[in-house]
Amino acid sequence: MATSVKTQANALLAGVSLAAAASYPWAQGSVLLDFVHHTALAATIGGLADWWGVTAIFEKPFNIAAPGTDMLRRRYADLQEGLTDFVCTDLLSPQNVMLAVENESFARLLTEHFSEPQNVDSARSVLQPLADEVLHKLNTQEAEQLLLAEVPRYLPSLHLSDILLDVAQRAIANNRLDGIWVLLLKEGKRLLHCAEFTALLRGMAQRAEAHYTQDSILRDFFVSGEAEKLLPYFVEALERLLDDLGDGSSELRRMLDNWLLAKLEELRHDIAFQNWINDKAAQLVLDNALALRAELRQQNSDWLFALAQEKIAELAQDEDKLAQTDSVLKKLLAQALELKQDALRQLISEKLAGFKRDDVIGKLQAKVGDDLQNIRISGTVIGGLLGAVLFMVAAMAERLVG
């Protein structure tokens, strides 16, 4: 198709050039031939100018090294850099990639992929040697020593105490502990009426009364045996206090929340608390890791694959977990894209450098050849039209002046 358009452009340029040359000897004696001559001459000039411009993009016209000719070869390094920037920054930027896949569920694709037996078998054939090696290494003394040494050293960098305190403070500030308060207050009211607590209160009342009436006949006369009658009122007052604690809008609850927030803020700067949290977390991780290690000693890689298939099947049936997993996978992809931008740029640059310059220019010329040849045709036609208009304007002006 490009050759056909180029042939048309060449034929048109040749035709107007012949018309300009053929009409020249008789142009002075005939207005019509003069018009044809000037129109064809202008079309020839326009066609030649556009032919020079189009040809100069890819090569040297007539092998003349004029300024601006053979542009792509001279600026090939800039072209490579521009293509690399366009692909990395505009086309394959992390934002554009994530925008393209935002409506795709990676988690569902994952579960659908591993629902096919042949895909499971393929994954097993690749991963089973690695899984067997991992299980074997987990049974070594070195792995246990590494675990015991590295976990306690790594955990402080996670700032677990700050995370726990942030969660607790936000929960208190946003009234997220109402459910816990309801359970605690319900249990508190139950304790107020249990026999053990009633007996405790009765004993305390009797001791207080005995201490109050000691060495006082008059006090003994007025309060003897009366203290126990106050116990129901005391219990009722405690119930009202618990109700106030359960009411998130009460003044007592507000005071308690503020006190808790202040205490949590104090703990944020308590080194002993931070060390205690890290020690407990390290112990928890180590206990579970060593327990898993002991369990793995009794298993082989088939157990791992069976467990993985079971979890994938459960994931496929739970829309909430699918959504959560998809969100995690997309976040990981976005992070990977951000981290690999420099590597992507280097890869594209190396790939472009691997192509021969003439091959790349040839491909570009083949892709845009038709449009460039159409520019030549348009230039020839527009040049001819302008020549015709200018000839008519000049002829009218000459008649008016004459």
Side-chain angles (χ1 to χ4, degrees):
M1 184 63 181
T3 303
S4 176
V5 177
K6 183 177 182 179
T7 300
Q8 294 175 17
N10 289 337
L12 180 61
L13 179 58
V16 295
S17 299
L18 289 174
S23 60
Y24 175 72
W26 298 279
Q28 299 298 323
S30 170
V31 174
L32 178 60
L33 290 177
D34 197 15
F35 172 78
V36 170
H37 171 69
H38 282 87
T39 299
L41 182 62
T44 301
I45 294 171
L48 285 172
D50 282 340
W51 169 82
W52 180 278
V54 168
T55 305
I57 296 175
F58 300 100
E59 56 189 82
K60 299 174 185 177
F62 299 125
N63 205 27
I64 299 174
T69 59
D70 204 16
M71 183 185 68
L72 287 182
R73 285 180 174 80
R74 288 189 302 102
R75 303 294 299 275
Y76 186 70
D78 294 334
L79 175 64
Q80 282 185 308
E81 184 178 353
L83 287 174
T84 303
D85 285 338
F86 170 72
V87 173
C88 295
T89 306
D90 298 319
L91 187 61
L92 294 181
S93 67
Q95 295 78 12
N96 286 346
V97 173
M98 295 310 299
L99 186 64
V101 301
E102 65 177 352
N103 294 325
E104 189 63 71
S105 174
F106 291 173
R108 188 172 295 283
L109 288 174
L110 183 66
T111 57
E112 290 176 354
H113 177 79
F114 285 108
S115 66
E116 300 292 336
Q118 64 270 24
N119 295 331
V120 176
D121 293 339
S122 176
R124 183 189 294 270
S125 65
V126 174
L127 297 176
Q128 190 156 17
L130 176 62
D132 289 335
E133 182 179 358
V134 170
L135 287 174
H136 173 72
K137 288 184 176 180
L138 283 175
N139 290 334
T140 64
Q141 188 68 23
E142 291 80 3
E144 182 174 339
Q145 292 175 350
L146 180 64
L147 186 66
L148 293 172
E150 292 298 325
V151 170
R153 187 168 60 183
Y154 173 72
L155 283 175
S157 66
L158 298 179
H159 303 289
L160 295 178
S161 59
D162 288 339
I163 295 173
L164 291 174
L165 292 173
D166 283 339
V167 171
Q169 287 179 325
R170 291 184 182 182
I172 293 171
N174 297 318
N175 292 325
R176 297 297 185 184
L177 299 180
D178 288 346
I180 297 176
W181 278 115
V182 169
L183 293 175
L184 290 176
L185 298 180
K186 182 179 179 181
E187 183 64 18
K189 288 185 178 183
R190 187 189 67 79
L191 291 175
L192 288 179
H193 297 282
C194 72
E196 292 83 357
F197 186 72
T198 302
L200 175 64
L201 288 180
R202 185 177 291 111
M204 292 175 62
Q206 290 171 354
R207 287 194 296 273
E209 182 179 299
H211 180 74
Y212 182 69
T213 59
Q214 188 175 7
D215 300 327
S216 174
I217 298 175
L218 184 61
R219 288 178 179 175
D220 185 51
F221 176 78
F222 281 108
V223 301
S224 177
E226 296 295 324
E228 290 189 31
K229 296 179 180 180
L230 298 176
L231 296 184
Y233 299 101
F234 180 68
V235 171
E236 183 180 347
L238 288 178
E239 286 186 335
R240 287 198 300 270
L241 183 64
L242 290 176
D243 288 335
D244 283 343
L245 286 176
D247 183 2
S249 62
S250 69
E251 181 65 18
L252 181 61
R253 175 68 173 277
R254 186 184 65 81
M255 293 173 61
L256 179 60
D257 286 348
N258 289 337
W259 179 82
L260 287 173
L261 289 172
K263 287 298 180 183
L264 291 174
E265 193 60 34
E266 289 179 10
L267 289 175
R268 191 181 296 277
H269 307 286
D270 190 335
I271 301 300
F273 174 74
Q274 296 175 13
N275 292 336
W276 180 79
I277 288 292
N278 288 332
D279 289 343
K280 291 296 182 182
Q283 190 60 49
L284 180 64
V285 171
L286 291 174
D287 289 345
N288 283 276
L290 294 177
L292 177 62
R293 178 175 172 271
E295 175 69 21
L296 290 176
R297 282 178 174 175
Q298 311 301 322
Q299 306 292 342
N300 55 31
S301 59
D302 291 335
W303 170 77
L304 289 176
F305 287 108
L307 178 62
Q309 283 184 271
E310 179 183 342
K311 294 302 181 183
I312 291 174
E314 291 178 2
L315 178 64
Q317 303 301 319
D318 192 325
E319 291 296 332
D320 291 336
K321 287 185 178 179
L322 275 173
Q324 293 173 4
T325 304
D326 182 61
S327 176
V328 171
L329 291 175
K330 285 179 178 175
K331 286 180 180 178
L332 290 174
L333 174 61
Q335 292 173 0
L337 290 172
E338 290 287 352
L339 292 173
K340 294 299 182 181
Q341 276 296 94
D342 291 340
L344 177 63
R345 176 179 293 276
Q346 182 178 356
L347 175 63
I348 294 173
S349 179
E350 290 175 353
K351 288 295 183 183
L352 288 175
F355 292 114
K356 293 182 179 179
R357 183 182 63 178
D358 290 343
D359 290 343
V360 174
I361 294 175
K363 289 179 181 294
L364 289 174
Q365 190 170 9
K367 289 294 183 182
V368 300
D370 282 357
D371 291 331
L372 293 176
Q373 298 306 320
N374 280 320
I375 291 175
R376 290 181 55 198
I377 294 174
S378 299
T380 303
V381 173
I382 291 173
L385 291 176
L386 289 175
V389 170
L390 289 175
F391 177 84
M392 288 187 290
V393 170
M396 292 177 61
E398 184 179 353
R399 285 180 176 274
L400 290 175
V401 173

